[in-house]
Amino acid sequence: MRQMTREIMRDAFFIVILSTLLGIAANILFPGYEFIGSSRSKEGMIVPVSAREAHIKHAASSALFVDARGAAEYSSQRIPGAINIPSSPASLSLRKIRESFDALKGDRELLIYCGDPACGASDELAGRLLKMGYDRHIYVLKEAFPSWREAGYPTEGEEGR
């Protein structure tokens, strides 16, 4: 009986060691790959909102607005109080995320917008934040900044009103 217990313990030890080594090897060979059950799905974490819904969140100060456009567009005209974290280039985006990390992880929701309904920068930035561990819903302005401006909501910046 004692011999069988030792054999079981030895086998269990080798299984744990082998599993650990395989896990480390998989992470080295496939960095950034999401294995089954490794993280929450991004699907459903990015929520599109209309300009009207965004305005309600803005008026209630319940969301931190993040402008995913470049610095020149941001300086020209933006949603009041928005911070600028361009979606590209990736190196600049990552640096800006690190600089703004405390604000991004604060109590307010995140609402990201870009300059054109077809630009994709908002979704790209939202995906990057989720990949970096942001674990709450991220709202994206559906028709981008033009929908905000066309609705007559306030803007600020060099061309803001």
Side-chain angles (χ1 to χ4, degrees):
M1 181 72 144
R2 192 176 250 166
Q3 181 65 23
M4 187 164 52
T5 303
R6 279 191 208 148
E7 288 176 14
I8 291 172
M9 293 298 287
R10 185 191 70 214
D11 290 347
F13 176 76
F14 285 120
I15 289 171
V16 169
I17 295 298
L18 181 61
S19 299
T20 302
L21 292 173
L22 286 173
I24 291 169
N27 282 311
I28 290 170
L29 294 173
F30 305 103
Y33 183 80
E34 295 182 11
F35 294 95
I36 295 172
S38 64
S39 66
R40 285 175 61 173
S41 169
K42 291 179 194 172
E43 190 173 318
M45 296 297 290
I46 300 173
V47 181
V49 295
S50 68
R52 185 174 187 282
E53 292 169 301
H55 185 257
I56 291 168
K57 291 180 180 299
H58 189 268
S61 297
S62 65
L64 172 63
F65 282 67
V66 179
D67 190 321
R69 302 175 299 161
E73 291 175 290
Y74 171 79
S75 295
S76 175
Q77 191 175 34
R78 64 189 168 273
I79 295 173
I83 64 171
N84 182 229
I85 301 178
S87 67
S88 64
S91 59
L92 175 61
S93 184
L94 292 169
R95 183 173 56 84
K96 290 283 213 167
I97 289 170
R98 283 191 291 274
E99 289 172 1
S100 305
F101 194 73
D102 289 339
L104 295 171
K105 292 292 277 184
D107 294 338
R108 297 189 292 171
E109 305 167 323
L110 291 186
L111 194 147
I112 303 174
Y113 66 93
C114 59
D116 182 86
C119 74
S122 298
D123 288 327
E124 182 180 341
L125 182 58
R128 185 171 290 131
L129 287 164
L130 291 170
K131 196 169 191 168
M132 293 176 75
Y134 188 84
D135 60 355
R136 296 184 298 185
H137 287 97
I138 298 175
Y139 299 93
V140 172
L141 187 55
K142 272 192 280 200
E143 298 297 318
F145 185 65
S147 68
W148 179 275
R149 200 174 46 233
E150 289 166 10
Y153 298 136
T155 62
E156 65 182 12
E158 296 164 4
E159 295 179 24
R161 48 177 180 217

